[in-house]
Amino acid sequence: MDCPLIKTLFSKKIIHFWFYSFLTLISVSQVSAFQTDTTKIRQIVDSLFLLAEDNQWPEVLRIAQNTLSHAKDNYSYGPQDQSLMHSFAGDASLELGDFPASKKHYKLSRQILLDAGLSAIPAMARVLNKIGNYHLTNKDYEAALTHLEQALDVHLGQVKSDNLELSHIYNNLGIAYLNLGDFHQGLNYQQESLRIRSALLRGPHKLLAQSYQNLAQCYQDAGQITEAINAYDRSLGYYLDLGYTSGMVVADLYLNLGTAYYDLGGDDGLTSAIEFFKRALLHYKQEKNPIRSGIAVAYNNLANSYLQMGRTNEAFRFYELALQLRQEQYGQVHPDVAQSLYNMGQYHYLFLEMNERAVEYFTRCLEALNYQRYSENALSRVNSYPILLFALYYQAAAQFSIYRETLAQEWLEKASESFIQVDELLDFLRFRYEGLGSKYNLVANGHQMYDIAISVALEQRKVTGEQKYLHHALRYCEKSKGILLLDALQKSKAENFGDVPKEYLMEIERLERGLAELERSRYLVSENENYNSVEMDSLDRLIFTHQQKFEKRIQELGSTHPRYFNMRYAQPIPSVAKLQHDLLDHDHTLVEYFLGDTVLQIFVVNDDNLEAISIGLSLDFFEQLDTFNFSVRGFRSVGSNEIHKNIESYVRSARVLYQYLISPIKSLLRDHLIIVPDGKLGFVAFDALLSKPVEDLTAFKDHPYLLRNHQISYNYSASLLAEMRDNKQSKNLKSYLGFAPVFSDDDRKGLSPLLYNKEEVTIASETFGGKVFTDEAATKSNFVDYQNNYQIIHLATHGKVNVSQEDYSFLAFTQETTHNSDENILYVREIYNLPIEAKLIILSACETGDGKLFEGEGVASIARGFSYAGAQSLLATRWPINDKTTSVIVSDLLSNLKEGLRKDEALHRAT
């Protein structure tokens, strides 16, 4: 069976920190009679610090234990000093692999401070950070996160300025979030940790080297491989400058560099990866006490590399060696053991096609992750969410493959049950991740996993004849798309019905708006090639602080107002009955697509029936899909000698796509179509598909467009359609608001004058009444101030897509002379936080429906920004347009709306 997602999980070495600041760590007795004792303690701590820096952990442990055993008999010391000795003993025990002893010492270190009433001093923050670090080392990331967040609260409550202690807490929080799968939050904390260290440390320093290494891992998980390699190289440079040419530190770095080159891909990437893994392995083995955990990681990663090169026998041998070492070191329940079992399962499934053997390994992997499906708080006990997600997915895929081989229905049922668990875990992680990057990654993974889940559900329907499985398939399809947009609408609903005091919501809104403004400022600074690095650093710090305040406030609301929290993150998938009875008139058909790697699933919903059709896809389909999008979207830029060829390409691809996308369901379609595209289908103008062959290529008025037979509208998902329909706007909205900015020939952003936009909004206002802003009055500030009072908002202006930074695509307004040169630009990032209540937004501007495609989420366009903000429906463009033609179409559209026609019918008649 073809598998839509091949993910090889890598082991990377996470770098932890031991660091002591004597000016704040050492307590000095307030009683002068104990001055001699204080001096003695200081001497002991000084020696322990030097020994710890030199990694002489047995000696650190001996001195700390001796001090704890004999200090009371020979000299006096306070609770902070006693706590500190236990902290040193805990550090040494942890480094020596005696985890029970380490845990005991850290616990005593904390308890001594608690008993002395010192729960809110910097020393307590350090102890909590060390306990968090202990849990990181044991890969219990949930427990680590709990203690590290406590450490941060205590520290920030006592220390108001940046210091290295704060950077260590941020670093460890970054490690925890990264390993919980939230690389976006991990990256935020690592960047802030590095910022503090860079400001306080000069020249090559071990802490800076370690910071760059951890930062690189966040970049790597975010898919920014070049940035990761650059950060690893910078870390290596620091280590070499500091004299590190061998040992575990360099071995760890070589290991991580290898994983980055593996992710870079290609023959050169794999070759470099293997070289780095071998270097790491050599250094681990040359240690006085060989580092078994590092050796196991190197074996695991060599196996992954050999597997990609087709050297399967070598791969299997190294997988076995890694698994054996990890089980000897950690036992049966540990994320490293789980990772080895996962890789063995993937090896048997993908490369040997030994599916039952693969299922055995995946089952053992779940056990090693401490995943107990039916126990209380089962997911909270798991020690690695990313491994759990992929293990469940591949287990389900292997079970489905066994069913296809044997037709034994029990395996189909097992696959179905596994996908139910995948679905539950995806929902669980949606609640956990606040960072947009992490959410996009989760949605993309989910989209690919739902591919097989849909096939399983449809097969169950075929085998059993039960309609409920068809409903399950449609539900999976719905859960694969538009999730972040749905979250935005749910947030609005939660604010209205979540029983949260108004002042709380106002604070959250203030934080969101403040964050958007800071990010906008940072973007504008970054656009200047000669930007001030000090200003950029300041903005980065403010953004980080703002993000943490916002996310902490949301977490607090989760505890104090669970109804709000649950509504904010609920995913209300409408039932088929609701779709049929509440959303679809008899003449409407909802057509929802799921675009897999090899199969196109089409769901057709009418008010009285539901059908699903599966279409096998060839390479030709994807080629024609790209050809269609290129020929239509790039038509205006085609040279005169290429026009005929471009038209031929359009006609051929439009006909082929019609045969794939429409012909199989033609008999089920009614007059009005609501199309929910998927993946690259989001770029397709279905209206322009051709239902019949074309004889005269240039007779465009006579072409048999799909639009001739159907009135067509689009949505991101049926769930969003339901939420938008249910989204009740204010009853007191005025009729119409129009904007027609003026642009000069020398506009700095290359925005040429628009000749017909003023006429366009003037005619519209004559039809509907309302208010218009034209010329110098059509400013961004007027739009922001007035937009939430009108049913129809009409923007006849310029739009620009930013494919590389989708949140900074923009709409342009008239430049206000009293403001700087960018105050006329409304970025998508700003649109998100506008309280849009309009029933219709008309974006009479170029490219407002175009943008970057996010798998599972759709095209991140300007129009999508308005949907995110709450607009009920939108009219947008997919490519550059002529403002005269647009003026005529929009005028006819609004006239038709005035006559009482529905929006899709009004547009159909206008075109």
Side-chain angles (χ1 to χ4, degrees):
M1 179 187 69
D2 290 326
C3 182
L5 177 63
I6 298 178
K7 167 96 173 168
T8 302
L9 293 178
F10 259 100
S11 298
K12 291 180 284 191
K13 291 290 284 186
I14 303 293
I15 309 304
H16 303 255
F17 303 97
W18 305 114
F19 189 84
Y20 302 91
S21 173
F22 292 115
L23 293 177
T24 53
L25 263 176
I26 307 306
S27 64
V28 178
S29 174
Q30 297 177 357
V31 182
S32 60
F34 293 147
Q35 183 62 44
T36 301
D37 296 341
T38 301
T39 302
K40 178 67 174 177
I41 289 293
R42 183 178 293 277
Q43 291 172 348
I44 293 172
V45 172
D46 284 348
S47 67
L48 287 172
F49 170 73
L50 293 174
L51 289 167
E53 277 289 288
D54 199 32
N55 291 322
Q56 297 187 42
W57 296 109
E59 188 66 6
V60 171
L61 183 60
R62 185 189 68 78
I63 293 174
Q65 288 179 328
N66 185 64
T67 305
L68 287 167
S69 299
H70 303 294
K72 289 185 178 179
D73 298 332
N74 300 311
Y75 41 83
S76 300
Y77 66 159
Q80 290 193 58
D81 299 318
Q82 188 179 358
S83 171
L84 182 59
M85 287 301 110
H86 278 294
S87 181
F88 271 113
D91 296 346
S93 299
L94 187 61
E95 286 293 321
L96 294 170
D98 189 348
F99 297 111
S102 177
K103 184 177 182 180
K104 181 190 74 172
H105 283 296
Y106 286 143
K107 186 175 180 180
L108 287 169
S109 179
R110 180 187 183 189
Q111 193 61 47
I112 288 166
L113 295 178
L114 288 173
D115 292 343
L118 302 175
S119 61
I121 63 172
M124 176 60 82
R126 296 183 200 101
V127 172
L128 289 167
N129 187 36
K130 287 178 179 290
I131 295 173
N133 189 77
Y134 163 83
H135 288 298
L136 289 179
T137 304
N138 283 278
K139 303 195 175 184
D140 187 349
Y141 301 113
E142 286 285 3
L145 194 59
T146 299
H147 288 92
L148 293 171
E149 287 178 339
Q150 291 173 3
L152 184 61
D153 286 343
V154 173
H155 183 94
L156 294 178
Q158 297 294 315
V159 182
K160 302 305 179 185
S161 59
D162 289 345
N163 60 22
L164 289 176
E165 296 292 343
L166 179 60
S167 79
H168 305 334
I169 297 172
Y170 282 155
N171 168 79
N172 285 340
L173 279 165
I175 293 171
Y177 276 110
L178 179 66
N179 282 280
L180 286 167
D182 192 348
F183 66 81
H184 176 90
Q185 188 72 300
L187 182 62
N188 285 340
Y189 277 114
Q190 292 296 353
Q191 287 176 328
E192 187 65 7
S193 178
L194 177 60
R195 183 194 64 77
I196 294 173
R197 289 172 174 174
S198 297
L200 298 177
L201 302 172
R202 293 292 179 267
H205 195 285
K206 183 178 179 180
L207 287 177
L208 292 175
Q210 293 167 327
S211 257
Y212 275 110
Q213 190 165 354
N214 284 348
L215 186 67
Q217 295 184 14
C218 295
Y219 282 134
Q220 195 174 340
D221 276 22
Q224 299 173 248
I225 308 304
T226 301
E227 290 86 346
I229 290 175
N230 289 338
Y232 283 134
D233 285 340
R234 190 158 186 178
S235 176
L236 181 60
Y238 278 134
Y239 279 129
L240 293 176
D241 289 344
L242 291 167
Y244 288 89
T245 57
S246 62
M248 187 173 68
V249 169
V250 174
D252 289 345
L253 186 53
Y254 285 153
L255 189 75
N256 289 343
L257 266 166
T259 67
Y261 277 102
Y262 177 97
D263 286 346
L264 193 62
D267 292 341
D268 290 342
L270 282 175
T271 300
S272 297
I274 290 173
E275 178 60 30
F276 279 117
F277 294 148
K278 286 182 176 179
R279 288 188 201 176
L281 185 60
L282 181 63
H283 284 293
Y284 288 134
K285 288 184 174 181
Q286 286 177 343
E287 286 286 291
K288 184 177 181 180
N289 296 309
I291 311 300
R292 288 195 298 170
S293 61
I295 293 171
V297 172
Y299 283 158
N300 177 81
N301 292 355
L302 280 168
N304 287 335
S305 302
Y306 288 137
L307 200 59
Q308 293 301 314
M309 298 178 76
R311 296 159 64 176
T312 55
N313 291 335
E314 291 171 276
F316 185 70
R317 179 169 63 88
F318 278 111
Y319 278 142
E320 285 188 314
L321 288 171
L323 178 59
Q324 181 181 345
L325 277 175
R326 286 168 165 173
Q327 287 177 327
E328 289 173 356
Q329 184 172 6
Y330 302 121
Q332 299 301 315
V333 179
H334 191 274
D336 282 5
V337 174
Q339 185 180 65
S340 281
L341 291 166
Y342 167 86
N343 285 341
M344 293 286 275
Q346 200 182 43
Y347 169 79
H348 283 85
Y349 169 61
L350 292 175
F351 293 91
L352 300 184
E353 297 185 1
M354 297 175 61
N355 295 310
E356 291 195 43
R357 184 69 171 146
V359 169
E360 292 175 10
Y361 277 113
F362 290 132
T363 301
R364 290 171 60 191
C365 173
L366 301 182
E367 294 169 356
L369 290 168
N370 198 30
Y371 176 58
Q372 302 169 32
R373 169 81 192 286
Y374 296 105
S375 63
E376 187 176 358
N377 298 321
L379 292 176
S380 299
R381 301 155 61 99
V382 169
N383 52 38
S384 176
Y385 297 130
I387 297 177
L388 176 62
L389 181 61
F390 288 105
L392 283 170
Y393 166 71
Y394 277 114
Q395 175 180 264
Q399 289 166 336
F400 191 39
S401 292
I402 297 170
Y403 162 75
R404 287 184 164 178
E405 294 166 0
T406 65
L407 297 182
Q409 195 167 336
E410 63 177 302
W411 286 106
L412 182 61
E413 293 169 357
K414 288 179 179 180
S416 176
E417 172 59 27
S418 294
F419 274 121
I420 289 172
Q421 295 174 66
V422 168
D423 185 44
E424 290 173 351
L425 180 55
L426 288 169
D427 282 346
F428 174 80
L429 294 177
R430 280 182 55 248
F431 274 79
R432 293 188 59 84
Y433 297 166
E434 279 293 338
L436 195 59
S438 297
K439 284 195 171 187
Y440 273 132
N441 187 62
L442 183 68
V443 169
N445 285 334
H447 182 273
Q448 297 186 44
M449 292 176 179
Y450 285 127
D451 189 355
I452 299 181
I454 291 170
S455 295
V456 169
L458 292 177
E459 184 67 17
Q460 285 182 294
R461 188 243 188 158
K462 177 182 176 182
V463 170
T464 66
E466 295 184 41
Q467 193 74 354
K468 68 177 183 180
Y469 293 115
L470 181 54
H471 293 197
H472 292 172
L474 179 58
R475 180 177 176 275
Y476 283 141
C477 185
E478 275 293 294
K479 297 195 75 173
S480 73
K481 52 172 66 92
I483 301 305
L484 301 187
L485 272 177
L486 192 58
D487 281 352
L489 294 183
Q490 284 301 111
K491 180 187 75 170
S492 176
K493 182 183 290 187
E495 290 172 354
N496 291 324
F497 303 104
D499 297 334
V500 180
K502 187 175 181 180
E503 58 270 21
Y504 280 32
L505 297 177
M506 289 177 65
E507 181 185 2
I508 289 174
E509 181 181 351
R510 177 180 60 79
L511 288 170
E512 285 185 305
R513 289 182 179 275
L515 183 59
E517 183 57 34
L518 287 170
E519 290 178 344
R520 177 182 181 275
S521 297
R522 190 192 188 284
Y523 170 76
L524 293 176
V525 170
S526 71
E527 287 290 278
N528 184 349
E529 294 181 359
N530 301 314
Y531 69 79
N532 186 315
S533 60
V534 174
E535 182 181 6
M536 184 68 83
D537 289 344
S538 176
L539 284 169
D540 284 339
R541 182 182 182 187
L542 288 171
I543 289 170
F544 174 82
T545 303
H546 232 77
Q547 284 176 326
Q548 305 321 305
K549 285 181 180 178
F550 169 71
E551 290 168 9
K552 185 174 182 179
R553 201 60 172 146
I554 292 296
Q555 290 173 357
E556 289 172 354
L557 283 175
S559 300
T560 59
H561 295 82
R563 185 182 178 196
Y564 167 84
F565 193 79
N566 290 333
M567 289 183 70
R568 180 183 176 103
Y569 293 102
Q571 194 174 4
I573 307 298
S575 66
V576 173
K578 178 177 177 62
L579 287 175
Q580 292 177 323
H581 300 146
D582 296 348
L583 300 178
L584 296 177
D585 294 332
H586 184 68
D587 59 350
H588 276 67
T589 299
L590 174 72
V591 183
E592 181 158 346
Y593 294 90
F594 185 97
L595 184 60
D597 283 356
T598 59
V599 177
L600 173 70
Q601 308 285 6
I602 310 177
F603 294 89
V604 182
V605 188
N606 289 310
D607 66 337
D608 55 1
N609 73 300
L610 166 65
E611 292 294 339
I613 292 88
S614 299
I615 309 295
L617 298 177
S618 64
L619 181 61
D620 179 61
F621 168 81
F622 293 100
E623 291 176 348
Q624 295 299 327
L625 179 59
D626 290 339
T627 298
F628 177 85
N629 287 330
F630 178 80
S631 63
V632 173
R633 291 149 58 90
F635 183 80
R636 291 185 62 179
S637 61
V638 173
S640 58
N641 60 330
E642 295 290 324
I643 288 179
H644 187 77
K645 182 178 179 181
N646 187 81
I647 295 173
E648 286 183 331
S649 296
Y650 156 66
V651 169
R652 182 174 59 255
S653 59
R655 181 69 183 132
V656 170
L657 291 184
Y658 180 92
Q659 291 170 325
Y660 273 103
L661 302 174
I662 302 298
S663 289
I665 58 173
K666 181 179 178 181
S667 62
L668 301 172
L669 302 181
R670 296 178 181 169
D671 291 340
H672 297 257
L673 303 184
I674 303 170
I675 292 177
V676 178
D678 188 46
K680 284 188 175 182
L681 296 181
F683 292 120
V684 173
F686 280 72
D687 317 60
L689 298 182
L690 299 175
S691 60
K692 297 176 183 179
V694 172
E695 295 182 3
D696 186 350
L697 298 183
T698 59
F700 295 113
K701 290 185 177 181
D702 298 326
H703 286 183
Y705 303 115
L706 180 63
L707 182 64
R708 296 192 185 281
N709 301 318
H710 300 279
Q711 295 161 24
I712 301 172
S713 61
Y714 300 84
N715 212 304
Y716 292 95
S717 70
S719 303
L720 280 161
L721 174 66
E723 288 301 307
M724 288 175 174
R725 293 277 180 88
D726 292 343
N727 187 17
K728 304 300 183 183
Q729 281 80 15
S730 169
K731 294 181 180 179
N732 299 318
L733 292 180
K734 300 173 185 178
S735 59
Y736 172 86
L737 177 67
F739 278 79
V742 61
F743 301 97
S744 61
D745 288 315
D746 59 350
D747 184 90
R748 191 173 65 87
K749 290 187 176 292
L751 304 176
S752 60
L754 295 175
L755 303 179
Y756 301 97
N757 65 331
K758 182 176 179 180
E759 176 185 336
E760 185 177 325
V761 299
T762 301
I763 293 174
S765 67
E766 291 172 355
T767 302
F768 270 93
K771 187 175 184 64
V772 297
F773 290 92
T774 63
D775 299 332
E776 285 74 15
T779 62
K780 173 183 170 182
S781 58
N782 277 336
F783 172 74
V784 172
D785 291 343
Y786 283 87
Q787 57 79 28
N788 62 338
N789 294 316
Y790 292 86
Q791 296 183 48
I792 298 175
I793 298 175
H794 178 189
L795 302 174
T797 182
H798 280 295
K800 288 287 185 181
V801 171
N802 186 331
V803 177
S804 61
Q805 297 188 69
E806 63 283 350
D807 279 356
Y808 293 97
S809 298
F810 67 82
L811 290 172
F813 292 83
T814 300
Q815 178 66 50
E816 297 182 68
T817 56
T818 57
H819 290 74
N820 68 48
S821 60
D822 281 296
E823 285 300 318
N824 65 318
I825 299 301
L826 179 67
Y827 292 104
V828 169
R829 180 66 181 86
E830 298 172 279
I831 295 172
Y832 291 156
N833 293 319
L834 291 177
I836 303 290
E837 295 193 52
K839 293 182 179 180
L840 174 63
I841 303 281
I842 300 173
L843 299 176
S844 182
C846 296
E847 304 176 3
T848 51
D850 196 12
K852 182 178 179 180
L853 175 66
F854 285 92
E855 191 69 46
E857 194 58 29
V859 178
S861 64
I862 297 170
R864 183 180 178 278
F866 281 100
S867 292
Y868 189 99
Q872 198 174 56
S873 57
L874 298 110
L875 176 63
T877 60
R878 297 179 184 272
W879 46 76
I881 55 175
N882 178 280
D883 66 324
K884 174 61 176 176
T885 303
T886 305
S887 175
V888 173
I889 293 174
V890 172
S891 177
D892 290 345
L893 164 70
L894 292 173
S895 296
N896 293 336
L897 290 175
K898 182 70 173 178
E899 292 176 8
L901 297 180
R902 290 179 304 203
K903 289 188 281 283
D904 57 349
E905 187 175 357
L907 179 61
H908 183 264
R909 291 193 183 184
T911 55

